[in-house]
PDB file of all heavy atoms in Angstrom:
ATOM      1  N   SER A 141      53.857  24.287 -36.185  1.00 98.00           N
ATOM      2  CA  SER A 141      53.230  23.611 -34.900  1.00 98.00           C
ATOM      3  C   SER A 141      54.333  22.768 -34.271  1.00 98.00           C
ATOM      4  O   SER A 141      54.304  22.693 -33.021  1.00 98.00           O
ATOM      5  CB  SER A 141      52.044  22.859 -35.357  1.00 98.00           C
ATOM      6  OG  SER A 141      52.395  21.799 -36.398  1.00 98.00           O
ATOM      7  N   ALA A 142      55.182  22.111 -35.000  1.00 98.00           N
ATOM      8  CA  ALA A 142      56.173  21.204 -34.452  1.00 98.00           C
ATOM      9  C   ALA A 142      57.149  21.959 -33.633  1.00 98.00           C
ATOM     10  O   ALA A 142      57.554  21.713 -32.578  1.00 98.00           O
ATOM     11  CB  ALA A 142      56.900  20.349 -35.454  1.00 98.00           C
ATOM     12  N   ALA A 143      57.575  23.197 -34.192  1.00 98.00           N
ATOM     13  CA  ALA A 143      58.522  24.067 -33.539  1.00 98.00           C
ATOM     14  C   ALA A 143      57.954  24.653 -32.294  1.00 98.00           C
ATOM     15  O   ALA A 143      58.546  24.689 -31.116  1.00 98.00           O
ATOM     16  CB  ALA A 143      58.946  25.180 -34.442  1.00 98.00           C
ATOM     17  N   ALA A 144      56.629  25.060 -32.238  1.00 98.00           N
ATOM     18  CA  ALA A 144      55.945  25.552 -31.104  1.00 98.00           C
ATOM     19  C   ALA A 144      55.865  24.472 -30.084  1.00 98.00           C
ATOM     20  O   ALA A 144      55.979  24.756 -28.896  1.00 98.00           O
ATOM     21  CB  ALA A 144      54.517  26.087 -31.540  1.00 98.00           C
ATOM     22  N   GLN A 145      55.517  23.289 -30.539  1.00 98.00           N
ATOM     23  CA  GLN A 145      55.410  22.210 -29.567  1.00 98.00           C
ATOM     24  C   GLN A 145      56.649  21.961 -28.822  1.00 98.00           C
ATOM     25  O   GLN A 145      56.753  21.843 -27.565  1.00 98.00           O
ATOM     26  CB  GLN A 145      54.965  20.841 -30.304  1.00 98.00           C
ATOM     27  CG  GLN A 145      54.857  19.660 -29.291  1.00 98.00           C
ATOM     28  CD  GLN A 145      54.536  18.366 -30.117  1.00 98.00           C
ATOM     29  OE1 GLN A 145      54.012  18.402 -31.155  1.00 98.00           O
ATOM     30  NE2 GLN A 145      55.057  17.318 -29.510  1.00 98.00           N
ATOM     31  N   ALA A 146      57.873  21.952 -29.586  1.00 98.00           N
ATOM     32  CA  ALA A 146      59.221  21.756 -28.947  1.00 98.00           C
ATOM     33  C   ALA A 146      59.504  22.844 -27.863  1.00 98.00           C
ATOM     34  O   ALA A 146      60.022  22.569 -26.867  1.00 98.00           O
ATOM     35  CB  ALA A 146      60.256  21.675 -30.111  1.00 98.00           C
ATOM     36  N   VAL A 147      59.253  24.063 -28.322  1.00 98.00           N
ATOM     37  CA  VAL A 147      59.448  25.272 -27.460  1.00 98.00           C
ATOM     38  C   VAL A 147      58.693  25.197 -26.139  1.00 98.00           C
ATOM     39  O   VAL A 147      59.127  25.297 -25.008  1.00 98.00           O
ATOM     40  CB  VAL A 147      59.282  26.568 -28.112  1.00 98.00           C
ATOM     41  CG1 VAL A 147      59.222  27.752 -27.127  1.00 98.00           C
ATOM     42  CG2 VAL A 147      60.352  26.784 -29.171  1.00 98.00           C
ATOM     43  N   ALA A 148      57.334  24.780 -26.411  1.00 98.00           N
ATOM     44  CA  ALA A 148      56.493  24.631 -25.117  1.00 98.00           C
ATOM     45  C   ALA A 148      57.008  23.521 -24.205  1.00 98.00           C
ATOM     46  O   ALA A 148      57.093  23.659 -22.971  1.00 98.00           O
ATOM     47  CB  ALA A 148      54.976  24.419 -25.574  1.00 98.00           C
ATOM     48  N   GLU A 149      57.432  22.399 -24.798  1.00 98.00           N
ATOM     49  CA  GLU A 149      57.936  21.330 -24.046  1.00 98.00           C
ATOM     50  C   GLU A 149      59.188  21.735 -23.254  1.00 98.00           C
ATOM     51  O   GLU A 149      59.254  21.442 -22.004  1.00 98.00           O
ATOM     52  CB  GLU A 149      58.292  20.068 -24.867  1.00 98.00           C
ATOM     53  CG  GLU A 149      56.964  19.364 -25.503  1.00 98.00           C
ATOM     54  CD  GLU A 149      57.380  18.382 -26.610  1.00 98.00           C
ATOM     55  OE1 GLU A 149      58.561  18.193 -26.883  1.00 98.00           O
ATOM     56  OE2 GLU A 149      56.373  17.662 -26.991  1.00 98.00           O
ATOM     57  N   GLY A 150      60.176  22.365 -23.915  1.00 98.00           N
ATOM     58  CA  GLY A 150      61.363  22.839 -23.323  1.00 98.00           C
ATOM     59  C   GLY A 150      61.094  23.904 -22.124  1.00 98.00           C
ATOM     60  O   GLY A 150      61.599  23.710 -21.124  1.00 98.00           O
ATOM     61  N   VAL A 151      60.117  24.716 -22.241  1.00 97.00           N
ATOM     62  CA  VAL A 151      59.837  25.729 -21.237  1.00 97.00           C
ATOM     63  C   VAL A 151      59.306  24.985 -20.049  1.00 97.00           C
ATOM     64  O   VAL A 151      59.823  25.250 -18.941  1.00 97.00           O
ATOM     65  CB  VAL A 151      58.765  26.792 -21.800  1.00 97.00           C
ATOM     66  CG1 VAL A 151      58.097  27.446 -20.691  1.00 97.00           C
ATOM     67  CG2 VAL A 151      59.519  27.759 -22.766  1.00 97.00           C
ATOM     68  N   HIS A 152      58.300  24.050 -20.219  1.00 96.00           N
ATOM     69  CA  HIS A 152      57.697  23.428 -19.103  1.00 96.00           C
ATOM     70  C   HIS A 152      58.698  22.589 -18.408  1.00 96.00           C
ATOM     71  O   HIS A 152      58.742  22.423 -17.079  1.00 96.00           O
ATOM     72  CB  HIS A 152      56.469  22.748 -19.507  1.00 96.00           C
ATOM     73  CG  HIS A 152      55.237  23.666 -19.726  1.00 96.00           C
ATOM     74  ND1 HIS A 152      54.595  24.259 -18.751  1.00 96.00           N
ATOM     75  CD2 HIS A 152      54.754  24.032 -20.859  1.00 96.00           C
ATOM     76  CE1 HIS A 152      53.608  24.986 -19.354  1.00 96.00           C
ATOM     77  NE2 HIS A 152      53.708  24.840 -20.662  1.00 96.00           N
ATOM     78  N   LEU A 153      59.426  21.747 -19.197  1.00 97.00           N
ATOM     79  CA  LEU A 153      60.291  20.708 -18.620  1.00 97.00           C
ATOM     80  C   LEU A 153      61.592  21.367 -17.982  1.00 97.00           C
ATOM     81  O   LEU A 153      62.057  20.872 -16.950  1.00 97.00           O
ATOM     82  CB  LEU A 153      60.799  19.683 -19.701  1.00 97.00           C
ATOM     83  CG  LEU A 153      59.620  18.959 -20.338  1.00 97.00           C
ATOM     84  CD1 LEU A 153      60.144  17.924 -21.444  1.00 97.00           C
ATOM     85  CD2 LEU A 153      58.884  18.150 -19.247  1.00 97.00           C
ATOM     86  N   GLY A 154      62.074  22.476 -18.509  1.00 95.00           N
ATOM     87  CA  GLY A 154      63.215  23.230 -18.030  1.00 95.00           C
ATOM     88  C   GLY A 154      62.896  23.887 -16.731  1.00 95.00           C
ATOM     89  O   GLY A 154      63.628  23.970 -15.803  1.00 95.00           O
ATOM     90  N   ALA A 155      61.541  24.152 -16.487  1.00 93.00           N
ATOM     91  CA  ALA A 155      61.231  25.001 -15.396  1.00 93.00           C
ATOM     92  C   ALA A 155      60.879  23.921 -14.230  1.00 93.00           C
ATOM     93  O   ALA A 155      60.666  24.334 -13.028  1.00 93.00           O
ATOM     94  CB  ALA A 155      60.030  25.843 -15.616  1.00 93.00           C
ATOM     95  N   TYR A 156      60.778  22.700 -14.494  1.00 94.00           N
ATOM     96  CA  TYR A 156      60.221  21.688 -13.511  1.00 94.00           C
ATOM     97  C   TYR A 156      61.155  21.566 -12.260  1.00 94.00           C
ATOM     98  O   TYR A 156      62.389  21.718 -12.364  1.00 94.00           O
ATOM     99  CB  TYR A 156      60.205  20.372 -14.124  1.00 94.00           C
ATOM    100  CG  TYR A 156      59.954  19.180 -13.160  1.00 94.00           C
ATOM    101  CD1 TYR A 156      58.539  18.948 -12.733  1.00 94.00           C
ATOM    102  CD2 TYR A 156      60.893  18.397 -12.713  1.00 94.00           C
ATOM    103  CE1 TYR A 156      58.299  17.994 -11.843  1.00 94.00           C
ATOM    104  CE2 TYR A 156      60.579  17.350 -11.761  1.00 94.00           C
ATOM    105  CZ  TYR A 156      59.187  17.177 -11.282  1.00 94.00           C
ATOM    106  OH  TYR A 156      58.946  16.196 -10.434  1.00 94.00           O
ATOM    107  N   GLU A 157      60.617  21.532 -11.145  1.00 92.00           N
ATOM    108  CA  GLU A 157      61.205  21.258  -9.880  1.00 92.00           C
ATOM    109  C   GLU A 157      60.317  20.327  -9.166  1.00 92.00           C
ATOM    110  O   GLU A 157      59.060  20.388  -9.128  1.00 92.00           O
ATOM    111  CB  GLU A 157      61.529  22.413  -9.091  1.00 92.00           C
ATOM    112  CG  GLU A 157      62.595  23.376  -9.688  1.00 92.00           C
ATOM    113  CD  GLU A 157      62.715  24.683  -8.859  1.00 92.00           C
ATOM    114  OE1 GLU A 157      61.858  25.544  -8.937  1.00 92.00           O
ATOM    115  OE2 GLU A 157      63.740  24.752  -8.117  1.00 92.00           O
ATOM    116  N   PHE A 158      60.964  19.436  -8.312  1.00 94.00           N
ATOM    117  CA  PHE A 158      60.238  18.498  -7.445  1.00 94.00           C
ATOM    118  C   PHE A 158      60.269  19.151  -6.010  1.00 94.00           C
ATOM    119  O   PHE A 158      61.274  18.979  -5.273  1.00 94.00           O
ATOM    120  CB  PHE A 158      60.808  17.156  -7.333  1.00 94.00           C
ATOM    121  CG  PHE A 158      59.916  16.188  -6.537  1.00 94.00           C
ATOM    122  CD1 PHE A 158      58.608  15.794  -6.879  1.00 94.00           C
ATOM    123  CD2 PHE A 158      60.461  15.628  -5.405  1.00 94.00           C
ATOM    124  CE1 PHE A 158      57.830  14.931  -6.152  1.00 94.00           C
ATOM    125  CE2 PHE A 158      59.797  14.717  -4.605  1.00 94.00           C
ATOM    126  CZ  PHE A 158      58.509  14.371  -4.926  1.00 94.00           C
ATOM    127  N   LEU A 159      59.147  19.851  -5.601  1.00 91.00           N
ATOM    128  CA  LEU A 159      59.190  20.675  -4.382  1.00 91.00           C
ATOM    129  C   LEU A 159      58.269  20.150  -3.227  1.00 91.00           C
ATOM    130  O   LEU A 159      58.062  20.781  -2.346  1.00 91.00           O
ATOM    131  CB  LEU A 159      58.811  22.176  -4.629  1.00 91.00           C
ATOM    132  CG  LEU A 159      59.873  22.787  -5.671  1.00 91.00           C
ATOM    133  CD1 LEU A 159      59.341  24.169  -6.102  1.00 91.00           C
ATOM    134  CD2 LEU A 159      61.186  22.994  -4.920  1.00 91.00           C
ATOM    135  N   ARG A 160      57.620  18.963  -3.546  1.00 92.00           N
ATOM    136  CA  ARG A 160      56.715  18.516  -2.636  1.00 92.00           C
ATOM    137  C   ARG A 160      57.220  18.396  -1.196  1.00 92.00           C
ATOM    138  O   ARG A 160      56.393  18.828  -0.151  1.00 92.00           O
ATOM    139  CB  ARG A 160      56.264  17.160  -3.130  1.00 92.00           C
ATOM    140  CG  ARG A 160      55.247  16.563  -2.155  1.00 92.00           C
ATOM    141  CD  ARG A 160      54.251  15.604  -2.934  1.00 92.00           C
ATOM    142  NE  ARG A 160      53.235  15.253  -1.971  1.00 92.00           N
ATOM    143  CZ  ARG A 160      52.629  14.114  -1.864  1.00 92.00           C
ATOM    144  NH1 ARG A 160      53.053  13.110  -2.558  1.00 92.00           N
ATOM    145  NH2 ARG A 160      51.722  13.881  -0.953  1.00 92.00           N
ATOM    146  N   TYR A 161      58.517  18.181  -0.824  1.00 93.00           N
ATOM    147  CA  TYR A 161      58.867  18.099   0.409  1.00 93.00           C
ATOM    148  C   TYR A 161      59.804  19.313   0.836  1.00 93.00           C
ATOM    149  O   TYR A 161      60.622  19.124   1.736  1.00 93.00           O
ATOM    150  CB  TYR A 161      59.659  16.698   0.667  1.00 93.00           C
ATOM    151  CG  TYR A 161      58.652  15.524   0.478  1.00 93.00           C
ATOM    152  CD1 TYR A 161      58.606  14.859  -0.806  1.00 93.00           C
ATOM    153  CD2 TYR A 161      57.742  15.265   1.351  1.00 93.00           C
ATOM    154  CE1 TYR A 161      57.816  13.879  -1.003  1.00 93.00           C
ATOM    155  CE2 TYR A 161      56.848  14.193   1.206  1.00 93.00           C
ATOM    156  CZ  TYR A 161      56.783  13.432   0.055  1.00 93.00           C
ATOM    157  OH  TYR A 161      55.948  12.415  -0.286  1.00 93.00           O
ATOM    158  N   LYS A 162      59.754  20.294   0.116  1.00 89.00           N
ATOM    159  CA  LYS A 162      60.577  21.451   0.394  1.00 89.00           C
ATOM    160  C   LYS A 162      59.502  22.734   0.420  1.00 89.00           C
ATOM    161  O   LYS A 162      59.616  23.487  -0.504  1.00 89.00           O
ATOM    162  CB  LYS A 162      61.559  21.782  -0.677  1.00 89.00           C
ATOM    163  CG  LYS A 162      62.895  21.026  -0.625  1.00 89.00           C
ATOM    164  CD  LYS A 162      63.734  21.368  -1.778  1.00 89.00           C
ATOM    165  CE  LYS A 162      65.158  20.772  -1.656  1.00 89.00           C
ATOM    166  NZ  LYS A 162      65.907  21.431  -0.658  1.00 89.00           N
TER     167      LYS A 162
END
Side-chain angles (χ1 to χ4, degrees):
S141 59
Q145 180 184 332
V147 166
E149 288 170 358
V151 161
H152 287 285
L153 297 179
Y156 175 78
E157 289 176 287
F158 183 66
L159 295 171
R160 180 145 190 224
Y161 300 101
K162 276 178 174 293

